[in-house]
Amino acid sequence: MPNLVFQRLQRPHRWLLLLVWCLSGAALAQTPSVEWPGRIVRLSHVEGLAQVLMPGRADWTPLDPAIPLIGGAQIATEPGSRAELHSGSTAMRIEGRTRLGLGTLDDLSTQLQITEGTLSVRVRALVHGERVEFNTPNLAFLVGQPGEYRIDLDPARGWTRLTLHSGSGTVYGEQGETRVLSAPQQIIFAGRQLFTPPFVRSGD
């Protein structure tokens, strides 16, 4: 049927149709493929004032459950506010005045950067080779097994408090030193070195 229609067109119309087809093919060939991130973060619940700054944007906008969050996004909640997010088998809750950045997000990595406030994380499962990592100005914490974790960060005092309700993980300091933690445990780190003062611990 398409060939019959083409044959019935007058000669000038045939050449016009051929030109349109050629231009369309060239445009499709030059269109770059869209690469979606291997993992995204979705907002499941929000109370109070919560905003997000998406990568490449200049303005903060309200958190919206309909908009997926990707690596590079910055999230901010204010006093009295709370937001719950999910990424794969990991559930996250931030509350009060909190500043959270989404780092690397792919099939094997979930990297979170907190610079102020409170972050609670529940890791339901870890596949082989998967990394769930929290970073603060004091340290980096790599989850070792499924569990429930909480990070409280006070930038005015310069300390990070890690609470392990269940699970285990490894803390990394500024000089590459490491410390393995297991639940139930709570430790306050002041500064970037794990084994030299100032260092406060509790719950060992």
Side-chain angles (χ1 to χ4, degrees):
M1 179 63 69
N3 290 336
L4 180 59
V5 173
F6 181 76
Q7 292 173 3
R8 290 179 178 176
L9 289 174
Q10 296 179 1
R11 184 176 299 274
H13 293 166
R14 293 183 191 178
W15 286 110
L16 179 60
L17 184 59
L18 282 173
L19 178 61
V20 171
W21 282 350
C22 291
L23 291 176
S24 299
L28 289 174
Q30 295 177 3
T31 301
S33 59
V34 177
E35 295 185 4
W36 295 95
R39 176 169 294 182
I40 59 175
V41 172
R42 291 194 176 276
L43 175 68
S44 59
H45 180 74
V46 63
E47 297 178 9
L49 180 58
Q51 296 182 306
V52 61
L53 180 63
M54 297 294 286
R57 300 293 180 87
D59 298 322
W60 290 81
T61 58
L63 272 176
D64 186 346
I67 300 178
L69 305 175
I70 61 175
Q74 303 290 322
I75 302 171
T77 56
E78 298 304 327
S81 303
R82 183 176 69 174
E84 297 179 3
L85 309 106
H86 289 82
S87 174
S89 62
T90 300
M92 298 159 278
R93 184 177 72 248
I94 56 178
E95 53 189 296
R97 181 176 174 83
T98 298
R99 300 294 182 265
L100 177 69
L102 305 182
T104 301
L105 295 175
D106 57 37
D107 291 335
L108 292 177
S109 300
T110 299
Q111 185 182 52
L112 307 174
Q113 302 165 344
I114 180 171
T115 56
E116 181 180 6
T118 299
L119 168 67
S120 298
V121 179
R122 181 181 180 186
V123 181
R124 294 185 177 88
L126 286 174
V127 302
H128 180 69
E130 184 177 4
R131 295 173 61 92
V132 177
E133 179 181 338
F134 318 136
N135 291 278
T136 80
N138 300 85
L139 51 84
F141 178 72
L142 180 64
V143 173
Q145 60 182 225
E148 295 188 18
Y149 308 88
R150 173 171 169 148
I151 296 178
D152 294 280
L153 179 62
D154 187 340
R157 298 181 181 180
W159 56 252
T160 296
R161 179 172 63 206
L162 286 177
T163 304
L164 285 72
H165 298 290
S166 60
S168 65
T170 303
V171 182
Y172 294 84
E174 183 181 39
Q175 302 300 326
E177 66 269 28
T178 62
R179 180 179 175 86
V180 177
L181 306 180
S182 298
Q185 192 170 16
Q186 182 182 94
I187 297 185
I188 297 176
F189 295 93
R192 298 182 179 181
Q193 297 182 359
L194 304 186
F195 298 105
T196 58
F199 171 78
V200 181
R201 66 182 181 181
S202 63
D204 284 348

PDB file of all heavy atoms in Angstrom, residues 78-112:
ATOM      1  N   GLU A  78      13.963  21.625  57.040  1.00  0.00           N
ATOM      2  CA  GLU A  78      14.059  22.634  58.086  1.00  0.00           C
ATOM      3  C   GLU A  78      13.505  22.087  59.407  1.00  0.00           C
ATOM      4  O   GLU A  78      12.884  21.026  59.443  1.00  0.00           O
ATOM      5  CB  GLU A  78      13.318  23.893  57.656  1.00  0.00           C
ATOM      6  CG  GLU A  78      13.880  24.550  56.407  1.00  0.00           C
ATOM      7  CD  GLU A  78      15.358  24.896  56.531  1.00  0.00           C
ATOM      8  OE1 GLU A  78      15.796  25.234  57.659  1.00  0.00           O
ATOM      9  OE2 GLU A  78      16.071  24.840  55.516  1.00  0.00           O
ATOM     10  N   PRO A  79      13.740  22.798  60.525  1.00  0.00           N
ATOM     11  CA  PRO A  79      13.251  22.329  61.818  1.00  0.00           C
ATOM     12  C   PRO A  79      11.765  21.968  61.781  1.00  0.00           C
ATOM     13  O   PRO A  79      10.951  22.687  61.209  1.00  0.00           O
ATOM     14  CB  PRO A  79      13.510  23.524  62.743  1.00  0.00           C
ATOM     15  CG  PRO A  79      14.691  24.206  62.127  1.00  0.00           C
ATOM     16  CD  PRO A  79      14.498  24.059  60.646  1.00  0.00           C
ATOM     17  N   GLY A  80      11.442  20.828  62.378  1.00  0.00           N
ATOM     18  CA  GLY A  80      10.063  20.359  62.391  1.00  0.00           C
ATOM     19  C   GLY A  80       9.650  19.608  61.150  1.00  0.00           C
ATOM     20  O   GLY A  80       8.502  19.159  61.048  1.00  0.00           O
ATOM     21  N   SER A  81      10.564  19.427  60.206  1.00  0.00           N
ATOM     22  CA  SER A  81      10.242  18.752  58.945  1.00  0.00           C
ATOM     23  C   SER A  81      10.816  17.345  58.926  1.00  0.00           C
ATOM     24  O   SER A  81      11.707  16.995  59.701  1.00  0.00           O
ATOM     25  CB  SER A  81      10.796  19.546  57.753  1.00  0.00           C
ATOM     26  OG  SER A  81      10.290  20.864  57.744  1.00  0.00           O
ATOM     27  N   ARG A  82      10.290  16.542  57.994  1.00  0.00           N
ATOM     28  CA  ARG A  82      10.771  15.173  57.833  1.00  0.00           C
ATOM     29  C   ARG A  82      10.523  14.720  56.406  1.00  0.00           C
ATOM     30  O   ARG A  82       9.518  15.083  55.792  1.00  0.00           O
ATOM     31  CB  ARG A  82      10.056  14.235  58.803  1.00  0.00           C
ATOM     32  CG  ARG A  82      10.563  12.807  58.753  1.00  0.00           C
ATOM     33  CD  ARG A  82       9.897  11.948  59.804  1.00  0.00           C
ATOM     34  NE  ARG A  82       8.480  11.745  59.496  1.00  0.00           N
ATOM     35  CZ  ARG A  82       7.685  10.920  60.195  1.00  0.00           C
ATOM     36  NH1 ARG A  82       8.165  10.279  61.258  1.00  0.00           N
ATOM     37  NH2 ARG A  82       6.426  10.763  59.847  1.00  0.00           N
ATOM     38  N   ALA A  83      11.447  13.931  55.890  1.00  0.00           N
ATOM     39  CA  ALA A  83      11.293  13.372  54.548  1.00  0.00           C
ATOM     40  C   ALA A  83      11.785  11.931  54.563  1.00  0.00           C
ATOM     41  O   ALA A  83      12.797  11.617  55.187  1.00  0.00           O
ATOM     42  CB  ALA A  83      12.067  14.190  53.514  1.00  0.00           C
ATOM     43  N   GLU A  84      11.055  11.054  53.886  1.00  0.00           N
ATOM     44  CA  GLU A  84      11.430   9.653  53.772  1.00  0.00           C
ATOM     45  C   GLU A  84      11.667   9.323  52.304  1.00  0.00           C
ATOM     46  O   GLU A  84      10.858   9.671  51.438  1.00  0.00           O
ATOM     47  CB  GLU A  84      10.337   8.762  54.359  1.00  0.00           C
ATOM     48  CG  GLU A  84      10.120   8.983  55.855  1.00  0.00           C
ATOM     49  CD  GLU A  84       9.029   8.116  56.431  1.00  0.00           C
ATOM     50  OE1 GLU A  84       8.456   7.290  55.674  1.00  0.00           O
ATOM     51  OE2 GLU A  84       8.738   8.249  57.637  1.00  0.00           O
ATOM     52  N   LEU A  85      12.790   8.652  52.047  1.00  0.00           N
ATOM     53  CA  LEU A  85      13.197   8.355  50.677  1.00  0.00           C
ATOM     54  C   LEU A  85      13.586   6.893  50.558  1.00  0.00           C
ATOM     55  O   LEU A  85      13.940   6.248  51.554  1.00  0.00           O
ATOM     56  CB  LEU A  85      14.370   9.250  50.252  1.00  0.00           C
ATOM     57  CG  LEU A  85      14.198  10.748  50.483  1.00  0.00           C
ATOM     58  CD1 LEU A  85      15.053  11.183  51.670  1.00  0.00           C
ATOM     59  CD2 LEU A  85      14.556  11.551  49.252  1.00  0.00           C
ATOM     60  N   HIS A  86      13.562   6.384  49.318  1.00  0.00           N
ATOM     61  CA  HIS A  86      13.930   4.989  49.073  1.00  0.00           C
ATOM     62  C   HIS A  86      14.828   4.897  47.848  1.00  0.00           C
ATOM     63  O   HIS A  86      14.633   5.606  46.860  1.00  0.00           O
ATOM     64  CB  HIS A  86      12.688   4.130  48.863  1.00  0.00           C
ATOM     65  CG  HIS A  86      11.883   3.917  50.103  1.00  0.00           C
ATOM     66  ND1 HIS A  86      10.972   4.845  50.567  1.00  0.00           N
ATOM     67  CD2 HIS A  86      11.869   2.885  51.000  1.00  0.00           C
ATOM     68  CE1 HIS A  86      10.415   4.390  51.684  1.00  0.00           C
ATOM     69  NE2 HIS A  86      10.937   3.212  51.967  1.00  0.00           N
ATOM     70  N   SER A  87      15.803   4.010  47.945  1.00  0.00           N
ATOM     71  CA  SER A  87      16.695   3.704  46.831  1.00  0.00           C
ATOM     72  C   SER A  87      16.992   2.213  46.867  1.00  0.00           C
ATOM     73  O   SER A  87      17.690   1.734  47.762  1.00  0.00           O
ATOM     74  CB  SER A  87      17.990   4.503  46.927  1.00  0.00           C
ATOM     75  OG  SER A  87      18.912   4.109  45.922  1.00  0.00           O
ATOM     76  N   GLY A  88      16.429   1.462  45.932  1.00  0.00           N
ATOM     77  CA  GLY A  88      16.606   0.018  45.963  1.00  0.00           C
ATOM     78  C   GLY A  88      16.033  -0.556  47.247  1.00  0.00           C
ATOM     79  O   GLY A  88      14.882  -0.290  47.607  1.00  0.00           O
ATOM     80  N   SER A  89      16.835  -1.316  47.982  1.00  0.00           N
ATOM     81  CA  SER A  89      16.398  -1.910  49.241  1.00  0.00           C
ATOM     82  C   SER A  89      16.770  -1.045  50.440  1.00  0.00           C
ATOM     83  O   SER A  89      16.694  -1.503  51.581  1.00  0.00           O
ATOM     84  CB  SER A  89      17.017  -3.301  49.410  1.00  0.00           C
ATOM     85  OG  SER A  89      18.436  -3.215  49.463  1.00  0.00           O
ATOM     86  N   THR A  90      17.176   0.199  50.192  1.00  0.00           N
ATOM     87  CA  THR A  90      17.587   1.105  51.255  1.00  0.00           C
ATOM     88  C   THR A  90      16.538   2.185  51.474  1.00  0.00           C
ATOM     89  O   THR A  90      16.125   2.861  50.533  1.00  0.00           O
ATOM     90  CB  THR A  90      18.940   1.762  50.914  1.00  0.00           C
ATOM     91  OG1 THR A  90      19.936   0.742  50.757  1.00  0.00           O
ATOM     92  CG2 THR A  90      19.375   2.708  52.013  1.00  0.00           C
ATOM     93  N   ALA A  91      16.108   2.318  52.734  1.00  0.00           N
ATOM     94  CA  ALA A  91      15.150   3.355  53.106  1.00  0.00           C
ATOM     95  C   ALA A  91      15.876   4.404  53.944  1.00  0.00           C
ATOM     96  O   ALA A  91      16.659   4.070  54.828  1.00  0.00           O
ATOM     97  CB  ALA A  91      13.990   2.755  53.894  1.00  0.00           C
ATOM     98  N   MET A  92      15.601   5.689  53.673  1.00  0.00           N
ATOM     99  CA  MET A  92      16.274   6.791  54.350  1.00  0.00           C
ATOM    100  C   MET A  92      15.251   7.758  54.929  1.00  0.00           C
ATOM    101  O   MET A  92      14.225   8.007  54.303  1.00  0.00           O
ATOM    102  CB  MET A  92      17.189   7.536  53.365  1.00  0.00           C
ATOM    103  CG  MET A  92      18.301   6.696  52.787  1.00  0.00           C
ATOM    104  SD  MET A  92      18.927   7.390  51.236  1.00  0.00           S
ATOM    105  CE  MET A  92      17.702   6.759  50.076  1.00  0.00           C
ATOM    106  N   ARG A  93      15.567   8.299  56.100  1.00  0.00           N
ATOM    107  CA  ARG A  93      14.719   9.327  56.694  1.00  0.00           C
ATOM    108  C   ARG A  93      15.596  10.455  57.201  1.00  0.00           C
ATOM    109  O   ARG A  93      16.574  10.223  57.907  1.00  0.00           O
ATOM    110  CB  ARG A  93      13.895   8.757  57.847  1.00  0.00           C
ATOM    111  CG  ARG A  93      12.911   9.783  58.428  1.00  0.00           C
ATOM    112  CD  ARG A  93      12.036   9.208  59.523  1.00  0.00           C
ATOM    113  NE  ARG A  93      12.782   8.970  60.741  1.00  0.00           N
ATOM    114  CZ  ARG A  93      13.050   7.762  61.247  1.00  0.00           C
ATOM    115  NH1 ARG A  93      12.642   6.680  60.610  1.00  0.00           N
ATOM    116  NH2 ARG A  93      13.721   7.634  62.369  1.00  0.00           N
ATOM    117  N   ILE A  94      15.269  11.676  56.811  1.00  0.00           N
ATOM    118  CA  ILE A  94      15.960  12.849  57.327  1.00  0.00           C
ATOM    119  C   ILE A  94      14.932  13.697  58.062  1.00  0.00           C
ATOM    120  O   ILE A  94      13.761  13.735  57.687  1.00  0.00           O
ATOM    121  CB  ILE A  94      16.649  13.657  56.206  1.00  0.00           C
ATOM    122  CG1 ILE A  94      15.641  14.070  55.120  1.00  0.00           C
ATOM    123  CG2 ILE A  94      17.780  12.859  55.583  1.00  0.00           C
ATOM    124  CD1 ILE A  94      16.251  14.908  54.018  1.00  0.00           C
ATOM    125  N   GLU A  95      15.380  14.361  59.127  1.00  0.00           N
ATOM    126  CA  GLU A  95      14.441  15.130  59.935  1.00  0.00           C
ATOM    127  C   GLU A  95      15.133  16.337  60.545  1.00  0.00           C
ATOM    128  O   GLU A  95      16.355  16.385  60.653  1.00  0.00           O
ATOM    129  CB  GLU A  95      13.843  14.247  61.030  1.00  0.00           C
ATOM    130  CG  GLU A  95      14.867  13.524  61.878  1.00  0.00           C
ATOM    131  CD  GLU A  95      14.216  12.507  62.786  1.00  0.00           C
ATOM    132  OE1 GLU A  95      13.435  12.925  63.675  1.00  0.00           O
ATOM    133  OE2 GLU A  95      14.474  11.299  62.620  1.00  0.00           O
ATOM    134  N   GLY A  96      14.287  17.304  60.945  1.00  0.00           N
ATOM    135  CA  GLY A  96      14.831  18.539  61.488  1.00  0.00           C
ATOM    136  C   GLY A  96      15.593  19.304  60.425  1.00  0.00           C
ATOM    137  O   GLY A  96      15.363  19.146  59.225  1.00  0.00           O
ATOM    138  N   ARG A  97      16.515  20.122  60.872  1.00  0.00           N
ATOM    139  CA  ARG A  97      17.353  20.870  59.927  1.00  0.00           C
ATOM    140  C   ARG A  97      18.476  19.958  59.444  1.00  0.00           C
ATOM    141  O   ARG A  97      19.452  19.708  60.172  1.00  0.00           O
ATOM    142  CB  ARG A  97      17.934  22.125  60.582  1.00  0.00           C
ATOM    143  CG  ARG A  97      18.801  22.955  59.637  1.00  0.00           C
ATOM    144  CD  ARG A  97      19.287  24.229  60.287  1.00  0.00           C
ATOM    145  NE  ARG A  97      20.223  24.930  59.431  1.00  0.00           N
ATOM    146  CZ  ARG A  97      19.867  25.741  58.434  1.00  0.00           C
ATOM    147  NH1 ARG A  97      18.594  25.966  58.200  1.00  0.00           N
ATOM    148  NH2 ARG A  97      20.781  26.339  57.698  1.00  0.00           N
ATOM    149  N   THR A  98      18.334  19.464  58.234  1.00  0.00           N
ATOM    150  CA  THR A  98      19.283  18.487  57.688  1.00  0.00           C
ATOM    151  C   THR A  98      19.653  18.873  56.274  1.00  0.00           C
ATOM    152  O   THR A  98      18.820  19.362  55.503  1.00  0.00           O
ATOM    153  CB  THR A  98      18.678  17.071  57.715  1.00  0.00           C
ATOM    154  OG1 THR A  98      18.417  16.686  59.066  1.00  0.00           O
ATOM    155  CG2 THR A  98      19.621  16.060  57.089  1.00  0.00           C
ATOM    156  N   ARG A  99      20.925  18.626  55.936  1.00  0.00           N
ATOM    157  CA  ARG A  99      21.420  18.851  54.585  1.00  0.00           C
ATOM    158  C   ARG A  99      22.016  17.534  54.091  1.00  0.00           C
ATOM    159  O   ARG A  99      22.985  17.022  54.661  1.00  0.00           O
ATOM    160  CB  ARG A  99      22.480  19.963  54.559  1.00  0.00           C
ATOM    161  CG  ARG A  99      21.952  21.304  55.061  1.00  0.00           C
ATOM    162  CD  ARG A  99      20.890  21.868  54.147  1.00  0.00           C
ATOM    163  NE  ARG A  99      20.400  23.172  54.580  1.00  0.00           N
ATOM    164  CZ  ARG A  99      19.311  23.341  55.327  1.00  0.00           C
ATOM    165  NH1 ARG A  99      18.612  22.288  55.733  1.00  0.00           N
ATOM    166  NH2 ARG A  99      18.915  24.556  55.674  1.00  0.00           N
ATOM    167  N   LEU A 100      21.423  17.006  53.020  1.00  0.00           N
ATOM    168  CA  LEU A 100      21.825  15.704  52.496  1.00  0.00           C
ATOM    169  C   LEU A 100      22.113  15.812  51.014  1.00  0.00           C
ATOM    170  O   LEU A 100      21.316  16.374  50.253  1.00  0.00           O
ATOM    171  CB  LEU A 100      20.721  14.664  52.733  1.00  0.00           C
ATOM    172  CG  LEU A 100      20.971  13.260  52.170  1.00  0.00           C
ATOM    173  CD1 LEU A 100      22.100  12.579  52.939  1.00  0.00           C
ATOM    174  CD2 LEU A 100      19.699  12.429  52.233  1.00  0.00           C
ATOM    175  N   GLY A 101      23.247  15.263  50.590  1.00  0.00           N
ATOM    176  CA  GLY A 101      23.602  15.220  49.178  1.00  0.00           C
ATOM    177  C   GLY A 101      23.598  13.788  48.678  1.00  0.00           C
ATOM    178  O   GLY A 101      24.006  12.872  49.394  1.00  0.00           O
ATOM    179  N   LEU A 102      23.127  13.588  47.460  1.00  0.00           N
ATOM    180  CA  LEU A 102      23.156  12.275  46.830  1.00  0.00           C
ATOM    181  C   LEU A 102      24.407  12.192  45.960  1.00  0.00           C
ATOM    182  O   LEU A 102      24.573  12.978  45.037  1.00  0.00           O
ATOM    183  CB  LEU A 102      21.898  12.058  45.983  1.00  0.00           C
ATOM    184  CG  LEU A 102      20.556  12.238  46.711  1.00  0.00           C
ATOM    185  CD1 LEU A 102      19.407  11.949  45.752  1.00  0.00           C
ATOM    186  CD2 LEU A 102      20.480  11.349  47.939  1.00  0.00           C
ATOM    187  N   GLY A 103      25.280  11.254  46.301  1.00  0.00           N
ATOM    188  CA  GLY A 103      26.503  11.074  45.538  1.00  0.00           C
ATOM    189  C   GLY A 103      26.302  10.055  44.427  1.00  0.00           C
ATOM    190  O   GLY A 103      25.330  10.112  43.672  1.00  0.00           O
ATOM    191  N   THR A 104      27.202   9.094  44.342  1.00  0.00           N
ATOM    192  CA  THR A 104      27.121   8.061  43.313  1.00  0.00           C
ATOM    193  C   THR A 104      25.903   7.179  43.545  1.00  0.00           C
ATOM    194  O   THR A 104      25.703   6.638  44.631  1.00  0.00           O
ATOM    195  CB  THR A 104      28.389   7.196  43.319  1.00  0.00           C
ATOM    196  OG1 THR A 104      29.528   8.021  43.084  1.00  0.00           O
ATOM    197  CG2 THR A 104      28.313   6.127  42.244  1.00  0.00           C
ATOM    198  N   LEU A 105      25.087   7.027  42.507  1.00  0.00           N
ATOM    199  CA  LEU A 105      23.926   6.136  42.552  1.00  0.00           C
ATOM    200  C   LEU A 105      23.952   5.261  41.308  1.00  0.00           C
ATOM    201  O   LEU A 105      23.777   5.744  40.193  1.00  0.00           O
ATOM    202  CB  LEU A 105      22.620   6.944  42.583  1.00  0.00           C
ATOM    203  CG  LEU A 105      22.350   7.825  43.806  1.00  0.00           C
ATOM    204  CD1 LEU A 105      21.072   8.631  43.600  1.00  0.00           C
ATOM    205  CD2 LEU A 105      22.246   6.987  45.070  1.00  0.00           C
ATOM    206  N   ASP A 106      24.202   3.974  41.501  1.00  0.00           N
ATOM    207  CA  ASP A 106      24.115   3.034  40.392  1.00  0.00           C
ATOM    208  C   ASP A 106      23.693   1.681  40.945  1.00  0.00           C
ATOM    209  O   ASP A 106      23.312   1.573  42.112  1.00  0.00           O
ATOM    210  CB  ASP A 106      25.438   2.959  39.608  1.00  0.00           C
ATOM    211  CG  ASP A 106      26.629   2.592  40.484  1.00  0.00           C
ATOM    212  OD1 ASP A 106      26.478   1.769  41.410  1.00  0.00           O
ATOM    213  OD2 ASP A 106      27.728   3.129  40.252  1.00  0.00           O
ATOM    214  N   ASP A 107      23.756   0.638  40.109  1.00  0.00           N
ATOM    215  CA  ASP A 107      23.244  -0.664  40.522  1.00  0.00           C
ATOM    216  C   ASP A 107      23.975  -1.229  41.736  1.00  0.00           C
ATOM    217  O   ASP A 107      23.418  -2.055  42.467  1.00  0.00           O
ATOM    218  CB  ASP A 107      23.352  -1.655  39.359  1.00  0.00           C
ATOM    219  CG  ASP A 107      22.385  -1.298  38.236  1.00  0.00           C
ATOM    220  OD1 ASP A 107      21.370  -0.644  38.526  1.00  0.00           O
ATOM    221  OD2 ASP A 107      22.651  -1.672  37.081  1.00  0.00           O
ATOM    222  N   LEU A 108      25.219  -0.795  41.977  1.00  0.00           N
ATOM    223  CA  LEU A 108      25.996  -1.352  43.078  1.00  0.00           C
ATOM    224  C   LEU A 108      26.438  -0.299  44.088  1.00  0.00           C
ATOM    225  O   LEU A 108      27.199  -0.616  45.003  1.00  0.00           O
ATOM    226  CB  LEU A 108      27.225  -2.095  42.549  1.00  0.00           C
ATOM    227  CG  LEU A 108      26.948  -3.385  41.776  1.00  0.00           C
ATOM    228  CD1 LEU A 108      28.252  -3.983  41.258  1.00  0.00           C
ATOM    229  CD2 LEU A 108      26.220  -4.402  42.655  1.00  0.00           C
ATOM    230  N   SER A 109      25.993   0.932  43.952  1.00  0.00           N
ATOM    231  CA  SER A 109      26.471   1.992  44.848  1.00  0.00           C
ATOM    232  C   SER A 109      25.340   2.933  45.250  1.00  0.00           C
ATOM    233  O   SER A 109      24.561   3.370  44.402  1.00  0.00           O
ATOM    234  CB  SER A 109      27.592   2.807  44.189  1.00  0.00           C
ATOM    235  OG  SER A 109      28.699   1.993  43.867  1.00  0.00           O
ATOM    236  N   THR A 110      25.283   3.205  46.550  1.00  0.00           N
ATOM    237  CA  THR A 110      24.429   4.262  47.081  1.00  0.00           C
ATOM    238  C   THR A 110      25.294   5.090  48.016  1.00  0.00           C
ATOM    239  O   THR A 110      25.681   4.620  49.087  1.00  0.00           O
ATOM    240  CB  THR A 110      23.222   3.705  47.844  1.00  0.00           C
ATOM    241  OG1 THR A 110      22.429   2.909  46.950  1.00  0.00           O
ATOM    242  CG2 THR A 110      22.362   4.837  48.403  1.00  0.00           C
ATOM    243  N   GLN A 111      25.643   6.295  47.594  1.00  0.00           N
ATOM    244  CA  GLN A 111      26.541   7.156  48.365  1.00  0.00           C
ATOM    245  C   GLN A 111      25.777   8.396  48.819  1.00  0.00           C
ATOM    246  O   GLN A 111      25.214   9.114  48.006  1.00  0.00           O
ATOM    247  CB  GLN A 111      27.749   7.559  47.518  1.00  0.00           C
ATOM    248  CG  GLN A 111      28.794   8.347  48.292  1.00  0.00           C
ATOM    249  CD  GLN A 111      29.946   8.764  47.390  1.00  0.00           C
ATOM    250  OE1 GLN A 111      29.741   9.342  46.334  1.00  0.00           O
ATOM    251  NE2 GLN A 111      31.151   8.450  47.812  1.00  0.00           N
ATOM    252  N   LEU A 112      25.785   8.621  50.134  1.00  0.00           N
ATOM    253  CA  LEU A 112      25.062   9.742  50.720  1.00  0.00           C
ATOM    254  C   LEU A 112      26.048  10.645  51.444  1.00  0.00           C
ATOM    255  O   LEU A 112      26.970  10.159  52.115  1.00  0.00           O
ATOM    256  CB  LEU A 112      24.003   9.237  51.706  1.00  0.00           C
ATOM    257  CG  LEU A 112      23.031   8.181  51.158  1.00  0.00           C
ATOM    258  CD1 LEU A 112      22.145   7.656  52.273  1.00  0.00           C
ATOM    259  CD2 LEU A 112      22.191   8.759  50.032  1.00  0.00           C
TER     260      LEU A 112
END
